[in-house]
Every structure is written in C-alpha cells, then in structure tokens.
Amino acid sequence: MGPKQHPSRSQTFSARAESETLPALTSYLLSLIALKQSNLCVSADVHTTSTLLRLAEEVGDSICVLKTHVDIIDDFSDRTIKGLQEIAKRKYFLIFEDRKFGDIGNTVQSQYTRGPLRIATWAHLTNAHIFPGPTIIPSLHTAATSALISLNQSVSTEISTGTPRSSIDGSAGGVDTETEAEISPHKITVTNFNNPFHTQTPSFNPASSSSAQPSSSYQPLSPDSMSDMSHRRSSVVTATTTISQTFEPSPPNPATLSRSLSSSSDTQLDRATALRELGPPPHARGLLLLAQMSSEDNIFTPAYTSACVSAARKHKDFVLGFVAQEDLNREGRDEFVVFTPGVGLPSAAEGDGLGQRWRGPREVVRDEGADVVIVGRGILGARDRAGEAERYRKEAWRGYAERVEGRK
C-alpha cells in the first residue's frame, strides 16, 4: 500500500485558493487556473523575441503560465519584456523564468536583480536549486523584495532657470522675474521610474521652439558679442526632487471569483468578465524549488527531495511550490503547487534520445498529483501551436477532474 494521499489531491483549485495561509501569489495562481480551466504551462524555449511573442499570442488563451529561458534569446532587450508583459496582461497568464539559480547568496541576488536580464523586475516566478544550501531561499526573497520596492519608486525632478537679482548690498539675492521673463524661462519635469523596462527620456522644450533649433544662418560668437554677454547677469538653475512610492493595489479576492465559477455552468458564466474582475497578479514574486527532474539518470536523490520540502516549509511566504515529478505535499499544512515537466502526448511519448522521458498530461495530473504540467517541444514543434496547446490543456484538465472525483 502506498503512502496516504494528501487532502489537497482531492480538493478543487478554487477551494485550495481560499486558504488564508497561502501567499497572495499562490492564491492568485490557483484562482487563475480555476477560472481559465487550464493547468498548462508552455515552455518557450525559443531564440528570438519575435518567436517568443508570437508563441505567447498563439498559446496565451490556453495556459496559466508561460515558462521562459530569456538567456537564450539572441536579441533580448526591453522590447522582449515589454511585449511579453503586455501579452501576459491581456491573456491572463503568469511569467516563469526558468533560471535555476544555484550559487551563494550574494551571487544569486545579483543574478536575480541586475545585469541585462533583471529577472526580479518582470518574472512572477523563478526557480532554484538548494544544493548551495537553504539560505539561497531568503537571499532571493530579500532581493525580490528590494527589487519590487525600487520598481515602484518614482523620482520627479523639476528644473527651472532664471536670472539672479541683486539685493540692496549688491549681492545676488533672488531671481529677477522681469529678466526671467525676458530670457524665456524653461521648466521641465523628469520622471524616472526605477524599472529598466519602463523608462522615459525627457525632452527639453523651450518656450520658443524656434530659438531652440540652430538655423542655417547660425554664426559662431564673435569677440564683440562675447564681450557684450559678459555684462549680462548669470543665470540661476534650481532643481526640486520629489521621491514617491506606490504599490499595485491588491486584486479582488480570487477565491470569491473562483467559487462563483465553480457554482456556475460554462454557458452561464462570462469567463472574460471573471478574469477582468480577477485583475492583475499581486505585487509579489514566488519561488519554485527544483526537487526532482524528468531526465534519465539524474542524481536528485530522495534525501535531496526531502531536504527541498523541509526548506520550503520554512519559507512558505516565498516558496510557492516545486518542480517535481509527483505531489510533494505530505504534512497536513503543506499547500505547495507542483509543476511537472517531461509531459507529452503519444506522438512524443518515446522520449527525445537525449535523456528526456515524457509522460501523458492526464496521467501525470490524475495519478501523480501534478498541479501544473510543463510542455515544451510537444507544442513548439506543432504545425498548429494554438490547437496543440488546447489539446494539452484539455487532457491535463481532464486528469484534474478525474483526480478530484476520485476516478481512474
């Protein structure tokens, strides 16, 4: 007789989302899965921005998560991320950067928040190994928190120019407003959001635009004109900087929406409206621990998997779940979400000849307790990727329905 199944195996996603002890991002994901009736994650292992964005458009309606490897995007830039964020917002899915962090704390913090990728600024989810030690978890959590604070901090600077007026004793004691008017004062406001993928470059627009552009009759300053200018009073530049901080509002209670969904038939509920009410994801980041792998002869031992689970229990406010081959919820208070790779439909079930083994999405969800199935080449190589994604979605959802109903 096998181990006793955890209660979450028979719970609906919407019921699991109602737990008051879940982090907001986990609750959101479970509600999103219930509303879209999709527990499919597509692995976007592609090499150009255009291919990535086209794939996201094609499969976005059928997925709950898109998994990326942006370090293999040859032309990665802010356009890559802005485009992906726009599609994710419109089609309602989370972005999971498959970075597989595995280094000392100081290094992974920099890898997560700095460099050209700056993963923490745009990816809702990422993942990590714990072989460097479990302190990798709080290190990434701290980095994510700092990045999110910086992301929502705006700096507004107002710059004005004028000419100083002389005080009674002849010293510069203020700005001469008459002279200031004569020299056409300029004011600009610079707003800099500390988001590398949301930047604005201010332009300097003088009151008299014609005088700002050099004309064809422009001549260098002559000695006489320079002497004349020396009698003019100097200008004063003042700058006022205001720092403000804002955070995304929390979305409506996702449990209420998914409960409403589960009590209505498909034809009675406007899913598009429900998704709009669910709104954007909470302003948070989540981590998945790599507890098991689908490749042949991997060295992830049962002891290592157990260590991953133990570490996750100590950091439930950041660890959303695992990348694993089976349900790893064992204790009563475990509420982790399991993402399972190595999933394929019959045409790919034999493997790829490179050590990867595939199992069917229905069986993985129903029999092994996977919550989200990760599919890559089975969809990427299809002639109709949107249609193939929908086929995988239906199979994975069928496995979930049979699991909850206790059928095999």
Side-chain angles (χ1 to χ4, degrees), residues 10 55 104 116 173 187 234 281 286 305 348 373 387:
S10 59
L55 174 67
I104 61 172
K187 285 190 177 183
S234 60
T305 300
V373 296

mmCIF file with all atom_site columns, all heavy atoms in Angstrom, residues 10 55 104 116 173 187 234 281 286 305 348 373 387:
data_model
loop_
_atom_site.group_PDB
_atom_site.id
_atom_site.type_symbol
_atom_site.label_atom_id
_atom_site.label_alt_id
_atom_site.label_comp_id
_atom_site.label_asym_id
_atom_site.label_entity_id
_atom_site.label_seq_id
_atom_site.pdbx_PDB_ins_code
_atom_site.Cartn_x
_atom_site.Cartn_y
_atom_site.Cartn_z
_atom_site.occupancy
_atom_site.B_iso_or_equiv
_atom_site.pdbx_formal_charge
_atom_site.auth_seq_id
_atom_site.auth_comp_id
_atom_site.auth_asym_id
_atom_site.auth_atom_id
_atom_site.pdbx_PDB_model_num
ATOM 1  N N   . SER A 1 10  ? -7.542  15.842 -3.540  1.00 0.00 ? 10  SER A N   1
ATOM 2  C CA  . SER A 1 10  ? -8.968  15.751 -3.881  1.00 0.00 ? 10  SER A CA  1
ATOM 3  C C   . SER A 1 10  ? -9.677  17.104 -3.807  1.00 0.00 ? 10  SER A C   1
ATOM 4  O O   . SER A 1 10  ? -10.873 17.191 -4.062  1.00 0.00 ? 10  SER A O   1
ATOM 5  C CB  . SER A 1 10  ? -9.666  14.760 -2.947  1.00 0.00 ? 10  SER A CB  1
ATOM 6  O OG  . SER A 1 10  ? -9.539  15.166 -1.594  1.00 0.00 ? 10  SER A OG  1
ATOM 7  N N   . LEU A 1 55  ? 4.632   33.113 -30.131 1.00 0.00 ? 55  LEU A N   1
ATOM 8  C CA  . LEU A 1 55  ? 4.197   31.935 -29.379 1.00 0.00 ? 55  LEU A CA  1
ATOM 9  C C   . LEU A 1 55  ? 3.253   32.329 -28.247 1.00 0.00 ? 55  LEU A C   1
ATOM 10 O O   . LEU A 1 55  ? 2.216   31.677 -28.038 1.00 0.00 ? 55  LEU A O   1
ATOM 11 C CB  . LEU A 1 55  ? 5.419   31.202 -28.813 1.00 0.00 ? 55  LEU A CB  1
ATOM 12 C CG  . LEU A 1 55  ? 5.123   30.025 -27.878 1.00 0.00 ? 55  LEU A CG  1
ATOM 13 C CD1 . LEU A 1 55  ? 4.457   28.884 -28.645 1.00 0.00 ? 55  LEU A CD1 1
ATOM 14 C CD2 . LEU A 1 55  ? 6.404   29.547 -27.192 1.00 0.00 ? 55  LEU A CD2 1
ATOM 15 N N   . ILE A 1 104 ? 26.026  30.968 -4.276  1.00 0.00 ? 104 ILE A N   1
ATOM 16 C CA  . ILE A 1 104 ? 25.987  31.594 -2.954  1.00 0.00 ? 104 ILE A CA  1
ATOM 17 C C   . ILE A 1 104 ? 25.029  32.785 -2.982  1.00 0.00 ? 104 ILE A C   1
ATOM 18 O O   . ILE A 1 104 ? 24.716  33.335 -4.046  1.00 0.00 ? 104 ILE A O   1
ATOM 19 C CB  . ILE A 1 104 ? 27.386  32.037 -2.502  1.00 0.00 ? 104 ILE A CB  1
ATOM 20 C CG1 . ILE A 1 104 ? 27.961  33.077 -3.473  1.00 0.00 ? 104 ILE A CG1 1
ATOM 21 C CG2 . ILE A 1 104 ? 28.306  30.830 -2.368  1.00 0.00 ? 104 ILE A CG2 1
ATOM 22 C CD1 . ILE A 1 104 ? 29.258  33.706 -2.991  1.00 0.00 ? 104 ILE A CD1 1
ATOM 23 N N   . PRO A 1 116 ? 21.758  42.463 -17.642 1.00 0.00 ? 116 PRO A N   1
ATOM 24 C CA  . PRO A 1 116 ? 20.798  42.765 -18.707 1.00 0.00 ? 116 PRO A CA  1
ATOM 25 C C   . PRO A 1 116 ? 19.436  42.119 -18.508 1.00 0.00 ? 116 PRO A C   1
ATOM 26 O O   . PRO A 1 116 ? 18.446  42.584 -19.072 1.00 0.00 ? 116 PRO A O   1
ATOM 27 C CB  . PRO A 1 116 ? 21.486  42.204 -19.966 1.00 0.00 ? 116 PRO A CB  1
ATOM 28 C CG  . PRO A 1 116 ? 22.394  41.132 -19.444 1.00 0.00 ? 116 PRO A CG  1
ATOM 29 C CD  . PRO A 1 116 ? 22.872  41.621 -18.101 1.00 0.00 ? 116 PRO A CD  1
ATOM 30 N N   . GLY A 1 173 ? 20.612  88.099 -4.576  1.00 0.00 ? 173 GLY A N   1
ATOM 31 C CA  . GLY A 1 173 ? 19.688  87.747 -3.504  1.00 0.00 ? 173 GLY A CA  1
ATOM 32 C C   . GLY A 1 173 ? 18.411  87.119 -3.962  1.00 0.00 ? 173 GLY A C   1
ATOM 33 O O   . GLY A 1 173 ? 17.497  86.915 -3.180  1.00 0.00 ? 173 GLY A O   1
ATOM 34 N N   . LYS A 1 187 ? 11.003  75.236 -17.943 1.00 0.00 ? 187 LYS A N   1
ATOM 35 C CA  . LYS A 1 187 ? 10.777  74.290 -16.849 1.00 0.00 ? 187 LYS A CA  1
ATOM 36 C C   . LYS A 1 187 ? 10.541  72.907 -17.439 1.00 0.00 ? 187 LYS A C   1
ATOM 37 O O   . LYS A 1 187 ? 9.777   72.762 -18.383 1.00 0.00 ? 187 LYS A O   1
ATOM 38 C CB  . LYS A 1 187 ? 9.560   74.689 -16.003 1.00 0.00 ? 187 LYS A CB  1
ATOM 39 C CG  . LYS A 1 187 ? 9.826   75.858 -15.076 1.00 0.00 ? 187 LYS A CG  1
ATOM 40 C CD  . LYS A 1 187 ? 8.659   76.041 -14.108 1.00 0.00 ? 187 LYS A CD  1
ATOM 41 C CE  . LYS A 1 187 ? 8.951   77.157 -13.128 1.00 0.00 ? 187 LYS A CE  1
ATOM 42 N NZ  . LYS A 1 187 ? 7.846   77.294 -12.148 1.00 0.00 ? 187 LYS A NZ  1
ATOM 43 N N   . SER A 1 234 ? 24.455  86.445 -14.662 1.00 0.00 ? 234 SER A N   1
ATOM 44 C CA  . SER A 1 234 ? 24.414  84.986 -14.817 1.00 0.00 ? 234 SER A CA  1
ATOM 45 C C   . SER A 1 234 ? 23.054  84.431 -14.457 1.00 0.00 ? 234 SER A C   1
ATOM 46 O O   . SER A 1 234 ? 22.251  85.093 -13.807 1.00 0.00 ? 234 SER A O   1
ATOM 47 C CB  . SER A 1 234 ? 25.481  84.351 -13.920 1.00 0.00 ? 234 SER A CB  1
ATOM 48 O OG  . SER A 1 234 ? 25.236  84.695 -12.568 1.00 0.00 ? 234 SER A OG  1
ATOM 49 N N   . PRO A 1 281 ? -1.946  40.190 -11.425 1.00 0.00 ? 281 PRO A N   1
ATOM 50 C CA  . PRO A 1 281 ? -1.381  39.456 -10.289 1.00 0.00 ? 281 PRO A CA  1
ATOM 51 C C   . PRO A 1 281 ? -1.009  40.399 -9.160  1.00 0.00 ? 281 PRO A C   1
ATOM 52 O O   . PRO A 1 281 ? -0.757  41.588 -9.391  1.00 0.00 ? 281 PRO A O   1
ATOM 53 C CB  . PRO A 1 281 ? -0.126  38.793 -10.879 1.00 0.00 ? 281 PRO A CB  1
ATOM 54 C CG  . PRO A 1 281 ? -0.308  38.845 -12.356 1.00 0.00 ? 281 PRO A CG  1
ATOM 55 C CD  . PRO A 1 281 ? -1.141  40.050 -12.650 1.00 0.00 ? 281 PRO A CD  1
ATOM 56 N N   . GLY A 1 286 ? 7.384   34.763 -6.563  1.00 0.00 ? 286 GLY A N   1
ATOM 57 C CA  . GLY A 1 286 ? 7.343   33.436 -5.975  1.00 0.00 ? 286 GLY A CA  1
ATOM 58 C C   . GLY A 1 286 ? 8.487   32.573 -6.478  1.00 0.00 ? 286 GLY A C   1
ATOM 59 O O   . GLY A 1 286 ? 9.003   32.780 -7.588  1.00 0.00 ? 286 GLY A O   1
ATOM 60 N N   . THR A 1 305 ? 15.363  15.494 -2.320  1.00 0.00 ? 305 THR A N   1
ATOM 61 C CA  . THR A 1 305 ? 13.976  15.932 -2.476  1.00 0.00 ? 305 THR A CA  1
ATOM 62 C C   . THR A 1 305 ? 13.365  16.272 -1.128  1.00 0.00 ? 305 THR A C   1
ATOM 63 O O   . THR A 1 305 ? 12.686  17.294 -0.955  1.00 0.00 ? 305 THR A O   1
ATOM 64 C CB  . THR A 1 305 ? 13.148  14.846 -3.185  1.00 0.00 ? 305 THR A CB  1
ATOM 65 O OG1 . THR A 1 305 ? 13.704  14.597 -4.477  1.00 0.00 ? 305 THR A OG1 1
ATOM 66 C CG2 . THR A 1 305 ? 11.701  15.274 -3.336  1.00 0.00 ? 305 THR A CG2 1
ATOM 67 N N   . ALA A 1 348 ? 4.969   11.962 -28.758 1.00 0.00 ? 348 ALA A N   1
ATOM 68 C CA  . ALA A 1 348 ? 6.274   12.275 -28.181 1.00 0.00 ? 348 ALA A CA  1
ATOM 69 C C   . ALA A 1 348 ? 6.609   11.384 -26.998 1.00 0.00 ? 348 ALA A C   1
ATOM 70 O O   . ALA A 1 348 ? 7.581   11.618 -26.301 1.00 0.00 ? 348 ALA A O   1
ATOM 71 C CB  . ALA A 1 348 ? 6.286   13.742 -27.743 1.00 0.00 ? 348 ALA A CB  1
ATOM 72 N N   . VAL A 1 373 ? 1.201   21.086 -15.563 1.00 0.00 ? 373 VAL A N   1
ATOM 73 C CA  . VAL A 1 373 ? 2.098   20.327 -16.435 1.00 0.00 ? 373 VAL A CA  1
ATOM 74 C C   . VAL A 1 373 ? 2.874   21.301 -17.317 1.00 0.00 ? 373 VAL A C   1
ATOM 75 O O   . VAL A 1 373 ? 2.330   22.299 -17.798 1.00 0.00 ? 373 VAL A O   1
ATOM 76 C CB  . VAL A 1 373 ? 1.337   19.300 -17.307 1.00 0.00 ? 373 VAL A CB  1
ATOM 77 C CG1 . VAL A 1 373 ? 0.675   18.250 -16.428 1.00 0.00 ? 373 VAL A CG1 1
ATOM 78 C CG2 . VAL A 1 373 ? 0.308   19.980 -18.204 1.00 0.00 ? 373 VAL A CG2 1
ATOM 79 N N   . GLY A 1 387 ? -3.761  25.151 -31.536 1.00 0.00 ? 387 GLY A N   1
ATOM 80 C CA  . GLY A 1 387 ? -4.597  23.962 -31.441 1.00 0.00 ? 387 GLY A CA  1
ATOM 81 C C   . GLY A 1 387 ? -3.977  22.886 -30.570 1.00 0.00 ? 387 GLY A C   1
ATOM 82 O O   . GLY A 1 387 ? -4.657  22.206 -29.794 1.00 0.00 ? 387 GLY A O   1
#
